[in-house]
Amino acid sequence: MELKFPKIKRSVIISFLILSITLAFAAGCSNGNSNQDVVASVNGEDITKNELYELMVKQNGQQALDALISQKVIELEAKKQKIVVSDEDIQKEMETYYETYGGEEAFAQTLEMSGYSLDDVKKELALNIKINKLLEPRVKITEDELKTYFEENKAQFAQQKQVKASHILVETEEKANDIKKKLAEGQDFAQLAKENSTDAQNKDKGGDLGFFGSGDMVKEFEEAAFALKVGEVSAPVKTEFGYHIIKVSEVKAAQDASYEQSKSQIRETLFGEKAQAEYSVLMQELQKEYKIENYLEKKAEK
């Protein structure tokens, strides 16, 4: 169940998709008799690991190899420039992912469904951090550019009113009224959420949904939450998901856009835009500097 409208960024670890599968089979197919390991069969006719690997190389091999070559070049150049990625660097980026995906648990669930591991994520992050550190001296952003971007996009930096709320979701109005009664008797909201809420994503956090603004939640839920004062608990609220008991714990008032408060975010945005173009230039320069032999490409030419 997802009360919030989907705003999740799906760019995490995408480059590992073809790469990791191809490498796994490449490793498996490089060990003698393992070329004939059976991965499937149809009416007793075997499909071997070698057949699967050859098909994957034919379809995606060059793309995967190009990614590996670029990765190796980045690693060597980062080592040459003595660029080090600390655990703190990686954890800082992990916190951003947790926030984007609605918490550490939700991020872990997304990883599990995608077939990736936390180690895959951290390896990809370490590589991205090295790329950024290589690009930082090459990407120049002026004060005029920052101010121009702010003026042209001022609306997106204004803070709308936000509330921080928790909820307990149940299937029936009768159950919701029963919980409302228990709360009136002094029972703990978070504990009741853990014991009763059908919202598996948030129940173990005491039903905490964090801060949200207008348009982030389904209409009935949002209207009820924004009508509450801090500390107030709602009557049962019906939505397409069931019946909610909502408690508001904090309110952030709307604020006009502030250049100084937005400056670091603007710098990050402009860096991302410029870095994409500069990355291509950097890789062209580095690929001339490092001796690269692509045997897969040579094989295809024969």
Side-chain angles (χ1 to χ4, degrees), residues 18 26 29 43 65 74 88 91 95 105 111 119 131 133 146 167 184 187 216-217 220 223 252 257 297:
I18 296 172
C29 292
N43 282 351
L65 184 55
I74 291 297
E88 289 76 13
Q91 187 57 38
E95 294 297 333
E105 183 179 346
L111 278 183
D119 283 342
I131 292 171
K133 290 188 176 184
L146 293 170
H167 80 136
Q187 292 195 36
D216 287 339
M217 298 292 188
E220 302 90 343
E223 288 178 350
K252 286 182 180 178
E297 198 173 62

Side-chain angles (χ1 to χ4, degrees), residues 46-284:
D46 292 338
I47 298 173
T48 67
K49 185 183 290 185
N50 192 49
E51 289 176 298
L52 177 58
Y53 171 65
E54 287 181 355
L55 178 61
M56 294 179 71
V57 168
K58 187 179 293 184
Q59 292 180 340
N60 302 308
Q62 192 58 60
Q63 181 182 353
L65 184 55
D66 287 344
L68 275 176
I69 289 171
S70 295
Q71 178 178 326
K72 181 61 70 175
V73 168
I74 291 297
E75 295 287 357
L76 289 171
E77 184 64 19
K79 185 177 180 181
K80 178 182 175 181
Q81 295 194 25
K82 295 182 172 55
I83 290 174
V84 177
V85 177
S86 68
D87 291 340
E88 289 76 13
D89 290 333
I90 293 176
Q91 187 57 38
K92 182 179 178 181
E93 295 299 320
M94 290 298 301
E95 294 297 333
T96 300
Y97 284 146
Y98 295 153
E99 183 178 348
T100 301
Y101 281 77
E104 186 172 352
E105 183 179 346
F107 181 67
Q109 290 173 353
T110 301
L111 278 183
E112 186 176 350
M113 289 187 292
S114 303
Y116 300 111
S117 70
L118 192 58
D119 283 342
D120 289 332
V121 178
K122 290 183 177 180
K123 287 177 183 176
E124 178 76 356
L125 283 176
L127 181 64
N128 288 340
I129 292 169
K130 288 175 183 176
I131 292 171
N132 282 339
K133 290 188 176 184
L134 286 171
L135 290 173
E136 280 171 2
R138 303 168 63 100
V139 175
K140 307 300 181 184
I141 301 171
T142 67
E143 189 74 16
D144 284 344
E145 287 177 307
L146 293 170
K147 289 180 178 178
T148 298
Y149 189 94
F150 174 75
E151 291 299 329
E152 292 176 351
N153 300 274
K154 188 176 291 187
Q156 77 179 59
F157 297 109
Q159 180 181 290
Q160 61 177 326
K161 180 182 178 181
Q162 293 183 314
V163 299
K164 183 178 183 183
S166 302
H167 80 136
I168 302 172
L169 175 64
V170 293
E171 294 179 353
T172 67
E173 187 174 11
E174 181 182 3
K175 179 71 172 177
N177 281 321
D178 181 56
I179 290 173
K180 175 74 171 176
K181 181 180 177 181
K182 289 178 179 179
L183 289 167
E185 292 171 351
Q187 292 195 36
D188 183 65
F189 190 100
Q191 188 60 39
L192 286 172
K194 291 177 183 179
E195 294 173 354
N196 297 279
S197 184
T198 59
D199 180 2
Q201 185 174 337
N202 298 291
K203 63 183 295 183
D204 291 336
K205 298 184 292 182
D208 184 13
L209 297 168
F211 280 99
F212 55 88
S214 178
D216 287 339
M217 298 292 188
V218 293
K219 182 180 178 181
E220 302 90 343
F221 188 97
E222 179 183 301
E223 288 178 350
F226 275 79
L228 294 171
K229 296 178 181 178
V230 173
E232 282 189 333
V233 177
S234 73
V237 178
K238 185 179 180 181
T239 72
E240 62 190 277
F241 303 107
Y243 291 85
H244 309 258
I245 300 295
I246 308 168
K247 181 179 181 179
V248 168
S249 56
E250 193 174 342
V251 175
K252 286 182 180 178
Q255 290 184 355
D256 292 334
S258 164
Y259 173 68
E260 289 303 324
Q261 291 180 4
S262 308
K263 195 172 179 178
S264 61
Q265 183 182 345
I266 297 170
R267 186 180 297 278
E268 185 177 331
T269 300
L270 291 178
F271 177 85
E273 292 176 358
K274 291 190 174 188
Q276 289 184 13
E278 192 60 35
Y279 174 75
S280 297
V281 177
L282 172 66
M283 291 308 300
Q284 288 174 7

